[in-house]
Amino acid sequence: MVRWLPFILVSLLWVSLCLRDWRHGRLRRIWWWLGCWGLSALTWTPVAITLGGSVGQIQSFWWAGGIWVIWPLQPASVDASFWLNILMTVPQGLIWQYNHSAHRWRQWLLAGLATGLTLEGGQALFNRLVSLGRWVDINDVITNCLGVVIGAAIMLALQRRHATLK
């Protein structure tokens, strides 16, 4: 049960942020917090899903209660989970650009990097505090960032297309 504590506490944070924005009429921002909650559910719970792959061929080490991968783009690490990590953060990029339509690639990159570092940093912290049992992987930072950038670029293209149709 203690391994679920980080996700439960973070969920309470997301709920409070959603309620705050609801009261202030910032409904578009609620989608961002709901996306954060979804990413928290995928990365900060003690439930890890593996899709096969060559885990034994990835150079990693044990530190602070978890397995760390600090060498990016090892051939064995570019598997289905690599591509799914990109896909899982595309919605956050869509939402970011929807909420901040004046922002462009530098802000997308910062939002993506913040997303990836927050998710992996949370896994590292929670591995240390409650033995969450999740991998802390530099590839996930890269793929999460890329997913946000791709999502934001898609939304920008949709916004431009919509503007030309008016």
Side-chain angles (χ1 to χ4, degrees):
M1 177 63 184
V2 72
R3 294 173 65 205
W4 284 92
L5 194 58
F7 176 67
I8 292 167
L9 293 174
V10 168
S11 294
L12 293 173
L13 172 67
W14 299 142
V15 167
S16 68
L17 290 169
C18 285
L19 291 173
R20 181 199 65 190
D21 285 337
W22 180 273
R23 283 191 302 271
H24 290 98
R26 296 183 296 229
L27 303 181
R28 290 168 72 169
R29 192 181 296 178
I30 293 172
W31 288 106
W32 176 260
W33 301 127
L34 290 174
C36 290
W37 179 81
L39 291 173
S40 299
L42 290 170
T43 59
W44 292 344
T45 59
V47 179
I49 299 171
T50 56
L51 303 170
S54 305
V55 173
Q57 298 174 7
I58 298 173
Q59 191 170 4
S60 61
F61 65 97
W62 181 266
W63 186 68
I67 297 172
W68 288 64
V69 177
I70 60 171
W71 292 278
L73 304 175
Q74 297 174 51
S77 65
V78 181
D79 58 2
S81 66
F82 180 91
W83 302 106
L84 290 172
N85 260 305
I86 295 172
L87 188 60
M88 82 175 192
T89 52
V90 166
Q92 285 302 95
L94 293 166
I95 295 165
W96 179 266
Q97 180 59 25
Y98 180 69
N99 284 330
H100 305 281
S101 58
H103 290 183
R104 292 297 180 263
W105 74 269
R106 285 187 180 119
Q107 290 86 5
W108 302 344
L109 191 59
L110 288 173
L113 192 56
T115 300
L117 288 172
T118 300
L119 294 174
E120 293 306 301
Q123 287 180 338
L125 177 66
F126 301 144
N127 277 343
R128 180 75 176 126
L129 295 176
V130 298
S131 300
L132 191 60
R134 302 300 294 259
W135 284 46
V136 180
D137 191 343
I138 187 63
N139 294 301
D140 291 352
V141 174
I142 294 167
T143 55
N144 295 159
C145 182
L146 185 57
V148 170
V149 170
I150 290 170
I154 291 169
M155 181 55 78
L156 177 63
L158 292 171
Q159 288 170 329
R160 287 185 175 169
R161 174 134 170 89
H162 185 275
T164 60
L165 293 176
K166 283 186 174 181

